[in-house]
Amino acid sequence: MAITSANQLELLQTAEAVAREKMIDPDLVIQAMEESLARAAKSRYGSELDIRVKIDRKTGRATFARIRTVVTDEEFENHHAQLTVKQAKSYLKDPQIGDEVIDEVPPVDLGRIAAQSAKQVILQKVREAERDRQFDEFKDRKGTIINGVVKREEYGNLIVDIGRGEGILRRNEKIGRESYRPNDRIRCYIKDVRRETRGPQVFLSRTDPQFMAELFKMEVPEIYDGIIEIKAVARDPGSRAKIAVISFDNSIDPVGACVGMRGSRVQAVVNELQGEKIDIIPWNADTATFLVNALQPAEVSKVVFDEEAGKIEVVVPDEQLSLAIGRRGQNVRLASQLTGLDIDIMTEAEESARRQAEFAERTKLFMDTLDIDEMMAQLLVAEGFTNLEEVAYVEQDELLSIDGFDEGTAEELQARARDYIEEQNRKAIEAARALGVDDSLFNFEGLTPQMIEALARDGIKTLEDFATCADWELAGGWTTENGQRKKDEGILEKFELSLDEAQTMIMTARVMLGWVDPSELASDEDQAEGTDDEEEEA
């Protein structure tokens, strides 16, 4: 009743009005009307019939048609909506599988219930089209800044009107001191756009580091044009931030361009971020130099980089320690986020004390194992020797280059070192055999007797046991728990085994046991090398 009794042109006008209001394609609304009319006709003529409705886009006239499809004898199930080829010959000259026989049927007048049902179908279709339109509009705007108006607050979360839709600014995505009222204008970063059961959700943020990067892109034309690039951003929202920039034009100072005349550019960003202090840092490809810049305003005396652990030690003058760490550790934390490294800060006095302790420890090692006096042991340590293996198997010329060492002294030292190592190996083998280590582990290349003993004491006594280990179990590694980096001690870590070496040894053991096909291993390595090459080219 509600639709069929209406003027036919009015039907088209209604579709246009709904489409304009919801900002969707008018054809989608008409398709929804066609589907709702077809559903109403089925309830009148029978649900087993295939009834389709076509609304003329110019006149608004609705045509109701019964469709019967030509199928094979095997597929024939519903005589109301299907025809066999033989039956179809009564209607079609040369029927083929898939052909349709169309019979026009009288239009139906919608009763109250049918009209309600038709209305629900149309509303549902319009709602789905509106959601699709909203998702399509915002999915490509992810990672950009948008202006909106605050509509309301729900449990600390802000619902923001962003034009053709709504976005949500969660409580934890707001800068701490901020408070907004309905109808306040707000600028946010589109962090994510997701399809959800209740429709597409646009998640906004004001604390994301990229929000600050996008603000600089708006304020600094050189960044927008690609002359200056933002390489890294770290934020403590509402308090302090660090941003690393690099210029591809030698005539343009990246830091000066971001600061602007009398600080006008950076001040515009600071004002938007509620007074957040921003350190603009020149980016450098050299990790140590970049870190020194990142720890500004503190001065750095020395940087020691542990590539294996992804960890870096920074030595600062005693009076600079509190400045380098910052209030509640803020400065070093932001520098760590900016560089992606775990930073340990120590004073010059602490570093000196540590070096002296290491020197004394190595001196004592050489005195005890090589049976030499303190002076000779100190000479070895001063020349960079750290363990017995280096003394035993180094080229003799390196020992002869030490003041006071002649050929006889060098030969005697190397002989003592080798004897001591061989004796330690013999004891380690005996201990490992006593613990029940299998010959397969003794015959595995790359494992020293001391390593085998350490594995045995940890319950790894066969090649199968060894092959089931993870690389970090052998070489050690780092995990993050509750935002804190935690060290995992490896069984063979004291033997200075790297993660790559541990992984290679484990894979070799798996190949020897037949668990892994060597050809697959080779193809994986080739693929990894190809990826590395692509990354280098990029």
Side-chain angles (χ1 to χ4, degrees):
M1 228 162 50
I3 294 175
T4 55
S5 62
N7 182 282
Q8 291 174 346
L9 283 174
E10 192 179 328
L11 197 68
L12 295 179
Q13 290 167 358
T14 304
E16 285 282 351
V18 172
R20 223 177 7 255
E21 182 188 344
K22 302 295 184 181
M23 289 174 288
I24 59 177
D25 185 356
D27 198 54
L28 291 172
V29 182
I30 295 174
Q31 286 175 18
M33 289 177 171
E34 289 172 342
E35 190 175 321
S36 63
L37 285 171
R39 185 174 293 189
K42 279 186 181 182
S43 65
R44 171 75 178 275
Y45 292 118
S47 59
E48 66 275 5
L49 271 68
D50 183 5
I51 302 287
R52 298 180 199 174
V53 178
K54 187 73 177 170
I55 296 175
D56 190 292
R57 273 31 175 196
K58 291 181 179 178
T59 64
R61 181 175 180 273
T63 305
F64 290 70
R66 175 193 179 187
I67 309 296
R68 286 179 288 179
T69 308
V70 180
V71 296
T72 62
D73 292 346
E74 292 77 16
E75 293 174 336
F76 185 74
E77 290 178 353
N78 180 4
H79 69 275
H80 293 288
Q82 292 176 331
L83 291 170
T84 63
V85 176
K86 187 177 178 181
Q87 292 170 338
K89 284 180 180 177
S90 304
Y91 304 95
L92 301 172
K93 187 176 181 181
D94 183 22
Q96 301 293 324
I97 304 300
D99 286 351
E100 292 179 341
V101 176
I102 303 171
D103 298 317
E104 192 168 337
V105 294
V108 295
D109 287 331
L110 300 184
R112 186 176 58 82
I113 295 174
Q116 277 294 106
S117 175
K119 183 181 177 183
Q120 288 301 319
V121 171
I122 293 170
L123 288 174
Q124 179 65 25
K125 285 288 180 184
V126 168
R127 203 174 293 122
E128 285 173 8
E130 192 179 8
R131 287 173 178 175
D132 288 340
R133 190 265 311 152
Q134 186 175 337
F135 180 77
D136 291 339
E137 180 173 343
F138 288 105
K139 69 177 180 182
D140 296 327
R141 296 181 67 181
K142 181 180 173 183
T144 62
I145 287 177
I146 194 166
N147 294 312
V149 176
V150 176
K151 289 184 76 174
R152 62 187 182 279
E153 186 171 352
E154 294 177 356
Y155 308 106
N157 305 323
L158 290 182
I159 306 302
V160 181
D161 183 349
I162 48 177
R164 296 187 175 184
E166 288 183 352
I168 181 168
L169 180 66
R170 293 188 185 278
R171 177 166 50 182
N172 59 333
E173 296 290 349
K174 290 193 291 185
I175 296 172
R177 297 187 296 272
E178 289 182 325
S179 63
Y180 291 94
R181 294 177 180 176
N183 298 321
D184 281 354
R185 295 198 64 79
I186 188 170
R187 185 184 280 180
C188 300
Y189 175 76
I190 300 179
K191 189 172 184 178
D192 198 10
V193 181
R194 294 202 298 262
R195 284 188 187 273
E196 295 193 356
T197 50
R198 55 186 176 177
Q201 292 290 306
V202 181
F203 294 96
L204 307 175
S205 175
R206 284 179 57 81
T207 60
D208 194 282
Q210 288 307 311
F211 178 48
M212 189 173 79
E214 288 296 316
L215 287 172
F216 268 103
K217 192 181 289 186
M218 293 169 67
E219 296 295 335
V220 183
E222 291 86 349
I223 295 176
Y224 183 82
D225 293 336
I227 301 168
I228 294 174
E229 183 184 347
I230 298 171
K231 299 291 281 187
V233 184
R235 285 182 69 192
D236 193 349
S239 177
R240 196 182 189 92
K242 290 179 185 282
I243 181 169
V245 290
I246 184 173
S247 172
F248 297 111
D249 185 337
N250 293 332
S251 64
I252 295 177
D253 170 28
V255 175
C258 291
V259 172
M261 187 71 71
R262 296 181 183 173
S264 58
R265 291 175 175 177
V266 71
Q267 195 56 48
V269 178
V270 168
N271 292 342
E272 178 62 43
L273 299 176
Q274 305 296 317
E276 195 169 307
K277 294 180 177 66
I278 302 173
D279 295 334
I280 304 170
I281 295 157
W283 186 84
N284 197 296
D286 179 59
T287 306
T289 307
F290 180 36
L291 181 61
V292 171
N293 294 340
L295 281 169
Q296 290 176 2
E299 296 174 9
V300 176
S301 306
K302 190 166 79 172
V303 174
V304 182
F305 186 36
D306 183 356
E307 210 163 341
E308 180 87 15
K311 192 175 177 183
I312 207 158
E313 289 180 350
V314 176
V315 181
V316 298
D318 293 21
E319 67 277 6
Q320 292 280 318
L321 181 63
S322 59
L323 192 60
I325 293 172
R327 186 180 175 189
R328 298 195 185 101
Q330 188 183 64
N331 195 51
V332 69
R333 185 170 65 253
L334 289 175
S336 179
Q337 289 174 20
L338 202 68
T339 57
L341 295 164
D342 193 34
I343 302 172
D344 281 346
I345 292 186
M346 59 177 68
T347 62
E348 290 175 341
E350 289 170 341
E351 201 256 346
S352 175
R354 192 188 67 175
R355 275 193 289 114
Q356 288 175 5
E358 285 179 357
F359 190 89
E361 186 182 336
R362 288 171 185 166
T363 301
K364 187 174 186 309
L365 169 70
F366 291 137
M367 287 171 64
D368 293 345
T369 55
L370 300 176
D371 193 21
I372 55 177
D373 61 24
E374 187 177 8
M375 178 72 72
M376 190 174 284
Q378 286 177 348
L379 282 171
L380 285 171
V381 177
E383 286 296 320
F385 289 94
T386 59
N387 55 54
L388 283 178
E389 283 76 10
E390 290 177 0
V391 177
Y393 303 112
V394 79
E395 291 292 330
Q396 203 174 89
D397 291 346
E398 290 197 35
L399 288 171
L400 293 174
S401 65
I402 302 173
D403 288 341
F405 278 42
D406 56 24
E407 198 170 322
T409 305
E411 286 179 359
E412 178 62 25
L413 277 176
Q414 287 195 312
R416 289 184 186 181
R418 286 169 185 159
D419 288 344
Y420 186 86
I421 290 168
E422 286 171 9
E423 178 62 21
Q424 293 303 306
N425 286 348
R426 186 186 62 77
K427 288 179 179 177
I429 290 169
E430 286 179 0
R433 289 203 182 279
L435 289 166
V437 173
D438 190 73
D439 284 342
S440 60
L441 211 54
F442 279 112
N443 297 331
F444 185 75
E445 191 176 345
L447 289 177
T448 65
Q450 283 85 359
M451 287 180 176
I452 293 170
E453 183 187 357
L455 289 168
R457 294 193 185 282
D458 209 78
I460 299 165
K461 300 178 183 180
T462 66
L463 193 61
E464 286 84 353
D465 295 340
F466 184 75
T468 57
C469 291
D471 50 8
W472 61 268
E473 288 181 282
L474 300 181
W478 295 84
T479 54
T480 303
E481 286 184 10
N482 301 323
Q484 299 292 320
R485 278 170 66 83
K486 181 185 171 188
K487 185 75 178 72
D488 293 319
E489 296 296 333
I491 304 167
L492 304 180
E493 189 172 354
K494 63 181 179 181
F495 301 103
E496 297 181 357
L497 184 76
S498 71
L499 272 172
D500 286 342
E501 289 169 337
Q503 191 175 42
T504 302
M505 291 169 77
I506 290 165
M507 292 310 293
T508 303
R510 291 173 183 175
V511 169
M512 289 172 66
L513 291 166
W515 296 357
V516 175
D517 186 349
S519 61
E520 289 180 12
L521 199 60
S523 65
D524 287 346
E525 287 174 0
D526 292 341
Q527 195 173 355
E529 284 175 13
T531 305
D532 292 342
D533 291 341
E534 286 171 13
E535 286 176 359
E536 283 177 15
E537 285 173 15

